[in-house]
Amino acid sequence: MRFKLHKEDNEQNNIFWVTMTDLMTALVLVFIVLFFYTYVTSYYEKIQGDLEQKKAAEALQSTLKEQNIDINVDPAGVVKISDLELFDVNSYELSEKGKDYLAKFSPAYLDSIFSNEYLNENVEKIIIEGHTDSQTFAGDYSEDEQYMKNMELSLKRAYEVANYMTNTPYNKENGNRLRKMVIVEGASFSSPVIENGKEDFAKSRRVELKIIFKPKSE
């Protein structure tokens, strides 16, 4: 048995599909607008955050220079100290020169972080990370043993710097915060300094102080 749709039924069906099509189009447009808004807002906040970090890093470097400490602070807030300033060859014990350097550097560095409004509010961690070059212990051990010997050396050097820094006469009102912020790491020779396509062994041997900022709230 065959049924024939009345004209009125066809018109009602057409109206329904037109309405659904308009609704779906509107929803897609809303989704596109929301996505674009979220993307632009997120990008803008990142740019603003990067600018604030750069300004804070510049303020940190300026304060250190006021203390006659000539050291570079990159836009991300990373400070690199040559091992020649801190240690004797292949040693993790601070030299007398290293102790004198840190006695001057540490209070200026730590107090600068806590006295800068942006850094004080946004720094979550301070990573003190030791680095060696790929020549240290070369030839005396297998490649794996050499890497791990350098890992031990880089870690011990970072620890010695952290230990000395936290015992210098910085503003102790921030002592409890600092103890929760400092992290010690060793990187062996995994991040060499490359210049003109070759490793710069002297620059590869270093201790880095890295500022880790709090993640931006969503």
Side-chain angles (χ1 to χ4, degrees):
M1 181 180 296
R2 299 176 64 187
F3 294 93
K4 185 176 181 180
L5 291 173
H6 294 294
K7 183 178 180 180
E8 292 81 359
D9 294 333
N10 282 327
E11 289 177 350
Q12 289 178 355
N13 260 345
N14 289 336
I15 291 172
F16 173 77
W17 284 112
V18 169
T19 303
M20 286 299 295
T21 301
D22 290 343
L23 178 61
M24 292 302 294
T25 301
L27 287 174
V28 170
L29 287 174
V30 169
F31 174 78
I32 291 173
V33 170
L34 287 175
F35 175 81
F36 183 73
Y37 173 79
T38 302
Y39 174 79
V40 170
T41 301
S42 177
Y43 181 75
Y44 175 77
E45 289 177 348
K46 182 181 185 304
I47 294 297
Q48 287 296 107
D50 289 345
L51 288 174
E52 288 295 329
Q53 289 184 20
K54 183 178 179 182
K55 286 194 296 183
E58 290 172 351
L60 176 59
Q61 178 158 325
S62 176
T63 303
L64 290 173
K65 284 191 174 181
E66 288 174 2
Q67 301 292 325
N68 295 318
I69 301 172
D70 188 13
I71 193 167
N72 183 58
V73 181
D74 77 8
V78 178
V79 173
K80 299 179 181 180
I81 306 175
S82 168
D83 74 317
L84 297 177
E85 296 283 358
L86 302 172
F87 308 100
D88 293 326
V89 177
N90 291 350
S91 172
Y92 64 84
E93 294 183 0
L94 288 168
S95 63
E96 290 304 314
K97 177 183 177 182
K99 292 176 182 178
D100 290 341
Y101 183 90
L102 290 179
K104 185 177 181 181
F105 168 81
S106 301
Y109 177 80
L110 296 175
D111 289 336
S112 295
I113 290 176
F114 291 119
S115 64
N116 180 281
E117 183 178 354
Y118 181 82
L119 291 173
N120 186 50
E121 292 179 359
N122 290 282
V123 171
E124 183 175 40
K125 299 293 181 184
I126 300 173
I127 296 179
I128 300 177
E129 184 176 72
H131 295 260
T132 62
D133 64 45
S134 61
Q135 280 190 332
T136 306
F137 303 118
D140 297 327
Y141 301 90
S142 69
E143 291 185 2
D144 288 342
E145 290 171 335
Q146 180 200 2
Y147 184 81
M148 293 311 298
K149 288 289 290 183
N150 277 281
M151 180 67 76
E152 179 183 18
L153 177 60
S154 62
L155 183 60
K156 285 182 175 180
R157 284 182 167 182
Y159 170 81
E160 288 298 317
V161 170
N163 184 51
Y164 196 89
M165 284 185 66
T166 55
N167 284 288
T168 54
Y170 67 96
N171 186 348
K172 295 299 181 178
E173 290 181 4
N174 298 305
N176 189 48
R177 285 187 61 197
L178 182 63
R179 285 189 289 273
K180 296 177 181 178
M181 293 168 68
V182 171
I183 295 175
V184 174
E185 294 182 354
S188 189
F189 50 80
S190 61
S191 298
V193 174
I194 305 297
E195 294 190 352
N196 299 320
K198 295 182 179 180
E199 179 181 356
D200 186 316
F201 299 113
K203 290 183 178 179
S204 292
R205 300 187 302 270
R206 65 200 188 275
V207 173
E208 292 187 356
L209 283 79
K210 299 180 179 181
I211 294 173
I212 305 300
F213 292 91
K214 296 176 182 177
K216 296 294 182 182
S217 57
E218 299 296 334

